[in-house]
Amino acid sequence: VMGELFAQYHRRAQEQEGAFHCRVQFVEIYNERVNDLLSPPEHLRGGADKCDVRVHPKLGVYIIGCAPVPVDSEAHMSSLMDYANKMRTVAATAMNSRSSRAHTIFIVHLEVAGKEGETVLNTFHMVDLAGREN
């Protein structure tokens, strides 16, 4: 899916003689706390930055304290997803030894800027809800 998305946006940027930019965020919601899965672990950062969800009347939902990471290819996006999946909060259950204990949201921001100054911004939210395994 992501490969096709990159291809379409690159084509659109070339047709409009503009620029294509992609940024991603990967967060989990665990015990009512939002964690940035693409930032270094807390013990490496010297304390956790607070992530907080906000709603802008025109731009929609955004997360403070969770900086979008620029991505230049499908492979780069995949490597970030792999890293974030290793950072998720997991615990053993009777059904699964590494069960996700949190909701996770992978956010993709795609932007095409045309030569006339117009910009098209699309945001995709892919959600994995923690849930029952039986």
Side-chain angles (χ1 to χ4, degrees):
V1 172
M2 291 287 103
E4 182 59 29
L5 246 125
F6 265 95
Q8 286 183 16
Y9 275 85
H10 277 296
R11 267 194 309 274
R12 186 178 298 170
Q14 288 173 346
E15 290 168 1
Q16 296 178 5
E17 297 178 12
F20 165 76
H21 304 282
C22 180
R23 297 170 293 128
V24 299
Q25 296 170 286
F26 205 151
V27 297
E28 74 173 357
I29 302 169
Y30 179 68
N31 285 340
E32 298 184 23
R33 180 181 168 150
V34 179
N35 300 312
D36 182 356
L37 296 176
L38 293 177
S39 65
E42 289 180 11
H43 67 279
L44 296 177
R45 291 188 288 150
D49 296 329
K50 184 175 191 237
C51 295
D52 206 7
V53 178
R54 298 278 189 247
V55 179
H56 187 277
K58 291 185 180 178
L59 301 176
V61 177
Y62 66 99
I63 304 169
I64 295 174
C66 177
V69 177
V71 177
D72 57 9
S73 68
E74 179 185 7
H76 185 200
M77 184 182 294
S78 182
S79 70
L80 289 173
M81 289 178 79
D82 289 343
Y83 172 79
N85 277 318
K86 291 175 186 168
M87 303 304 293
R88 292 175 71 173
T89 302
V90 295
T93 67
M95 301 282 291
N96 186 346
S97 64
R98 286 191 41 86
S99 177
S100 173
R101 308 318 295 156
H103 305 304
T104 54
I105 306 168
F106 184 63
I107 306 164
V108 180
H109 305 277
L110 296 167
E111 181 179 339
V112 177
K115 66 179 180 180
E116 302 295 323
E118 71 282 358
T119 300
V120 176
L121 176 63
N122 291 293
T123 303
F124 300 90
H125 296 82
M126 290 164 254
V127 180
D128 178 18
L129 298 175
R132 297 178 59 132
E133 296 177 4
N134 58 3

